[in-house]
Amino acid sequence: MLRKLISTPGRLVLGTALASLLALTACDQQDTRLERARDLAEATMDQLSGRTLVEPDSPRPLEAADVMDRAIAGTLRNDMNFETASAGPMFAVGSIIAKPKDIPPAEAMAVVEDDEVFLEDPEVFDEFSDEAVEPESALMMESEAATEASPAPSAPSAPRSLSVQPARVMPKVKLDPKARDKTLRDIEQASKQQEQVAAKEPASAPRTRSLNPRSLESAPIQEKAAARKLARRSVISRDAIKAQRDANSVMLDTLSKYGMGGEVALSREGQMVIQIGEDGGSPTRFTPAGSPRGALQNFLAVDAKIECPDNPDMVTVQSSPVLATECIVKDLRESGQFEYVEKDYIFENQFARKPRPDSPTTGTDATPTVITDTTITPNDPLWELQWHFQNNGTGEGESSGGASFQDFWTRQGTEGSEKVVVAVVDTGLQLEHPDIKDSPNIAPGWDMVSDPRMGNDGDGRDADPNDPGDLCDPSVPFAEDTFHGTHVAGTIGAAATNNASGVAGGAWNVKIVPVRALGKCGGRLSDINDAIRWAGGLIPAEDEEGNEIWNDNPADVINLSIGLFEYCPASLQDAIDSVTDRGVLVVSAAGNARVATQYYAPGGCANVITVAAGDARGYIAPYSNFGPEVDLLAPGGDLTRDDNGDGRPDGVLSTKAATNCYDPVTGEAVDDCFYAFEQGTSMAAPHVSAALALLKARDPDATPEELKATLLAAASPRSAQQCSGACALYPGTTPIEGSPDMCTRPCGQGLLDLAMVPERSTGGGEK
């Protein structure tokens, strides 16, 4: 057995000046520019075709594993046939998001400075009940850890609960123009109800440190954990209460103009969601004419940029729910009452369009890779096919497109920490997946899909983040459930790593909080906004009795492998800003439309770490968005290539239920399996989220800014050729000097390479 540790030569991190993004200088209007970007994208679419010391003579884990622990899906195609779909965004008909003007940013209940928590009111803990904490809660785990490290107290006391006393979540108001007086009374009553809830909450802490703050540096671990959670929570603002009350009156007047009813959901921070419907509550149903998706759900429509006429009559508006949505948005904007008013757009996952199913590629003639160095090598049988985690390089057991996770595990002395939390806002998680159901890394999540028609699970929001499938239109050939969130979460660390089964994750011991926000046909912007805030610990969810349910594990990192072909919606930016202001790092996929990322959300939003996709060579993938908004390139895969020569597609291998599978050892067909190769910026983003989790585990006291700086420094600069594509496929990009047929596509600081993270001077991190 060899006992040589990997040594990585020091590398100089270069800051690269990248070319400007897709130039569309002929158009001045944003909508026109965005529409031209969509046209370019659609026009080019069809042109695209634990530590294991490995003995040299020991059997490969892949060969020793049971078939169901190694069977995979994913086929190699040199001529990829993409599913056809409109590049235009969708929106939920009759659903509108609005926020009144002049609401100050939401304040938190505590202040965090230099990683210390200060509470102005020592009585704040009186709001916590004395119920025992559930065993899976973060507080209980931290308490147990503290007990093991110190003598037990002579008289143990009951741990405090991390949930505040139950209180009703923000009310909803039915707006009925036919009963105006009653509606006005209901609006006033809802405002009073908000004030009553606000009065019972601890007061918000000032943003500047007082002369006599109460530092929790020497406080019991229960209070420290609770205070850190409180530091995230948004306090109900009296300014927000008043603004929403006044806005409701304006909404009622607008609906009265068209003889329509609706229902408004109020919020802590002022972001309101109005549902328009003839019955005064339920969303309007509508079948869009000429929909490119045939049997698309009848409550969604393609955003065709229909304009509301200056003086529309009531009959015309009532006869067209899409026009009604546009007219009400226009009128509310023109009222001057709102900071923003926008349609409830539908986001999609960022799998690159999948190839049509084909016969499995076995690749059994490939020479196996056996790592014989004493590196930290997980014993998961499919590890050797996960090129994306391997060390960056061209030697044995390395990959030119690898992100060097193995090097980090070995040199930095940590594979992650259960104290680091990553929330995955996505399609949910297959909780019964064999590599996930017994994983210690899964924390309680939430289902934020509010519309049962999109939920696919028979109800709306609840405590079950399980992914029941998201198939939108069964009539589309080869359509299937994506189980997208399971694949994404598996890459981060949801899968139980080093368990001799399936795949490995990037951060072995991370805590994953699944937050379901996408269902059938995608996810509503309003649900995604709430999912981001809940994941960050800012707002509560609501149980069946209407009680507040807070996230007991507020995220350090939120992964958004989702996308919308639209400029960043104001409400989404608002939600992102609210969590990043509390110290959360938000990671976003750049998008798969092959255009400048500024035209995509959330990749084009501010205050996110935007990730483009690279292939196994370390080149930007042909489907990936690009531009100055991109921060990093990370492994996203390319199913049309086999650059590492193992006879298998160069996709990212992770967890998800799949069909049309095969045994990678024998090549025999297997009907069903639990692992699959996929490609997309959706696959790139979780590599960065996992990297941030590792950096946080290594340096628990590092600020978000320090973690981001370390991450961006851990990038191997790319040449113009590595960030290029055929000019014919990317109109408007800049030709590379000496290669007139190839055009540059800016792809950030470089390829994620954790080998470039310097070792800590203390000699190791926390596990």
Side-chain angles (χ1 to χ4, degrees):
M1 181 183 301
L2 299 178
R3 295 201 173 265
K4 180 181 65 176
L5 291 176
I6 288 182
S7 62
T8 304
R11 306 180 186 180
L12 181 63
V13 180
L14 302 177
T16 55
L18 300 176
S20 59
L21 68 127
L22 182 63
L24 296 172
T25 57
C27 304
D28 294 328
Q29 300 297 321
Q30 279 197 343
D31 287 344
T32 304
R33 289 167 58 85
L34 183 60
E35 196 60 37
R36 286 194 61 196
R38 292 197 188 100
D39 291 342
L40 289 174
E42 194 165 9
T44 60
M45 188 176 301
D46 293 332
Q47 299 181 46
L48 286 177
S49 326
R51 305 171 190 257
T52 302
L53 304 181
V54 181
E55 299 281 359
D57 298 328
S58 63
R60 296 160 59 199
L62 184 63
E63 296 172 343
D66 182 80
V67 172
M68 294 313 295
D69 289 333
R70 69 190 186 200
I72 55 178
T75 59
L76 181 64
R77 304 255 337 181
N78 292 320
D79 181 17
M80 183 175 287
N81 296 314
F82 291 98
E83 298 174 5
T84 58
S86 170
M90 311 286 295
F91 67 94
V93 179
S95 185
I96 297 170
I97 305 172
K99 183 177 181 180
K101 280 185 175 179
D102 301 326
I103 300 178
E107 295 181 337
M109 296 181 185
V111 174
V112 178
E113 294 184 9
D114 300 326
D115 206 47
E116 291 186 11
V117 181
F118 297 91
L119 295 175
E120 298 299 322
D121 181 9
E123 303 301 321
V124 68
F125 290 104
D126 293 342
E127 294 296 323
F128 287 78
S129 69
D130 291 327
E131 299 175 3
V133 183
E134 294 297 327
E136 65 270 17
S137 74
L139 178 56
M140 176 63 77
M141 285 185 287
E142 289 193 31
S143 297
E144 291 173 350
T147 300
E148 293 174 0
S150 60
S154 57
S157 59
R160 301 175 187 266
S161 170
L162 282 182
S163 297
V164 296
Q165 293 288 354
R168 297 292 297 185
V169 177
M170 296 299 92
K172 296 181 179 180
V173 180
K174 185 173 181 178
L175 304 178
D176 186 358
K178 299 177 182 178
R180 183 178 180 81
D181 291 343
K182 180 181 183 302
T183 299
L184 291 174
R185 290 195 299 270
D186 290 344
I187 292 173
E188 191 63 32
Q189 180 60 36
S191 299
K192 291 180 179 178
Q193 183 178 341
Q194 283 183 298
E195 290 173 351
Q196 291 171 357
V197 175
K200 295 179 180 179
E201 290 191 335
S204 61
R207 281 297 179 187
T208 57
R209 187 183 295 189
S210 71
L211 294 178
N212 296 300
R214 179 191 179 193
S215 173
L216 296 177
E217 186 63 28
S218 59
I221 193 168
Q222 294 95 334
E223 291 195 2
K224 291 176 68 174
R228 292 183 186 280
K229 212 173 78 165
L230 285 175
R232 294 282 184 84
R233 293 184 175 181
S234 291
V235 177
I236 301 176
S237 163
R238 297 190 182 278
D239 291 323
I241 296 173
K242 180 180 183 301
Q244 290 180 95
R245 181 190 64 198
D246 297 341
N248 268 316
S249 299
V250 174
M251 289 179 176
L252 177 61
D253 291 340
T254 303
L255 293 175
S256 298
K257 175 181 176 180
Y258 301 110
M260 304 182 70
E263 184 178 71
V264 179
L266 309 182
S267 75
R268 288 173 166 262
E269 298 185 354
Q271 192 177 80
M272 311 166 74
V273 179
I274 178 172
Q275 302 285 347
I276 305 166
E278 294 182 359
D279 61 356
S282 299
T284 305
R285 292 175 177 269
F286 175 63
T287 302
S291 169
R293 299 186 183 180
L296 184 70
Q297 301 297 324
N298 60 6
F299 51 89
L300 306 180
V302 175
D303 188 5
K305 305 297 182 183
I306 297 174
E307 294 187 4
C308 178
D310 291 336
N311 296 297
D313 64 88
M314 182 186 301
V315 175
T316 301
V317 173
Q318 288 181 343
S319 65
S320 173
V322 169
L323 179 60
T325 304
E326 298 285 3
C327 286
I328 292 173
V329 167
K330 177 184 176 182
D331 286 3
L332 292 178
R333 286 175 177 171
E334 292 178 348
S335 71
Q337 187 81 26
F338 298 92
E339 178 182 332
Y340 54 76
V341 182
E342 56 195 10
K343 287 168 282 193
D344 202 349
Y345 286 108
I346 303 299
F347 283 68
E348 298 178 335
N349 68 63
Q350 290 305 292
F351 275 158
R353 287 180 172 83
K354 294 180 60 179
R356 295 170 55 168
D358 201 353
S359 300
T361 299
T362 62
T364 54
D365 294 334
T367 302
T369 298
V370 179
I371 301 174
T372 57
D373 294 304
T374 309
T375 59
I376 295 182
T377 304
N379 63 14
D380 304 86
L382 295 175
W383 159 255
E384 67 182 65
L385 305 183
Q386 294 183 279
W387 58 268
H388 38 98
F389 287 140
Q390 292 175 358
N391 294 336
N392 188 268
T394 57
E396 184 179 10
E398 297 178 334
S399 170
S400 297
S404 299
F405 276 76
Q406 190 173 32
D407 179 276
F408 187 95
W409 299 333
T410 302
R411 289 192 308 112
Q412 304 292 342
T414 179
E415 301 96 48
S417 169
E418 65 180 13
K419 295 180 181 179
V420 179
V421 181
V422 180
V424 180
V425 176
D426 215 293
T427 64
L429 192 63
Q430 290 179 291
L431 297 173
E432 292 302 311
H433 188 286
D435 213 3
I436 291 176
K437 67 178 180 180
D438 295 324
S439 172
N441 300 346
I442 308 303
W446 203 266
D447 178 1
M448 277 288 177
V449 180
S450 59
D451 192 328
R453 295 168 296 186
M454 299 184 75
N456 202 30
D457 56 357
D459 54 30
R461 295 182 176 183
D462 57 32
D464 181 11
N466 187 67
D467 185 353
D470 58 356
L471 176 60
C472 182
D473 186 354
S475 68
V476 174
F478 308 112
E480 61 183 3
D481 294 314
T482 68
F483 300 115
H484 181 268
T486 301
H487 197 279
V488 170
T491 296
I492 298 171
T497 299
N498 208 41
N499 66 340
S501 176
V503 295
W508 302 13
N509 304 317
V510 70
K511 191 184 297 297
I512 300 288
V513 175
V515 189
R516 186 170 182 251
L518 275 65
K520 289 176 63 176
C521 306
R524 292 189 182 217
L525 172 58
S526 55
D527 290 342
I528 291 167
N529 292 337
D530 284 351
I532 291 171
R533 287 186 167 95
W534 186 84
L538 274 66
I539 67 169
E542 179 179 0
D543 66 11
E544 295 179 356
E545 287 75 37
N547 297 318
E548 291 184 345
I549 305 297
W550 294 84
N551 179 10
D552 280 348
N553 301 282
D556 297 297
V557 180
I558 296 177
N559 189 91
L560 301 177
S561 288
I562 59 178
L564 171 73
F565 206 150
E566 185 67 50
Y567 292 105
C568 183
S571 63
L572 177 62
Q573 188 65 69
D574 194 4
I576 291 171
D577 292 346
S578 66
V579 295
T580 56
D581 181 57
R582 303 308 212 292
V584 183
L585 289 160
V586 178
V587 177
S588 172
N592 303 332
R594 310 162 190 85
V595 299
T597 307
Q598 67 163 326
Y599 301 115
Y600 236 72
C605 297
N607 294 330
V608 300
I609 298 171
T610 301
V611 189
D615 62 18
R617 301 171 298 169
Y619 286 41
I620 188 171
Y623 52 79
S624 179
N625 287 354
F626 53 89
E629 294 80 14
V630 172
D631 293 294
L632 277 175
L633 188 69
D638 186 344
L639 292 173
T640 70
R641 304 185 65 92
D642 178 21
D643 290 305
N644 58 11
D646 66 356
R648 299 181 178 86
D650 290 343
V652 171
L653 185 58
S654 186
T655 48
K656 63 166 279 187
T659 57
N660 190 38
C661 310
Y662 66 97
D663 183 343
V665 174
T666 66
E668 296 179 355
V670 178
D671 291 338
D672 303 304
C673 60
F674 299 101
Y675 308 94
F677 287 107
E678 295 289 355
Q679 64 178 6
T681 54
S682 271
M683 285 55 265
H687 284 85
V688 172
S689 293
L692 286 168
L694 291 175
L695 293 174
K696 178 71 172 176
R698 189 190 77 142
D699 296 302
D701 296 332
T703 67
E705 292 76 17
E706 291 169 341
L707 292 173
K708 181 177 179 180
T710 302
L711 173 78
L712 296 181
S716 175
R718 301 289 89 184
S719 68
Q721 197 72 25
Q722 290 171 312
C723 287
S724 69
C727 296
L729 298 179
Y730 305 95
T733 48
T734 304
I736 298 173
E737 185 177 355
S739 302
D741 295 332
M742 300 297 289
C743 285
T744 186
R745 294 182 291 150
C747 59
Q749 299 273 23
L751 177 68
L752 174 67
D753 186 356
L754 289 175
M756 302 185 74
V757 178
E759 292 186 44
R760 292 184 61 194
S761 59
T762 54
E766 176 183 354
K767 292 185 184 178

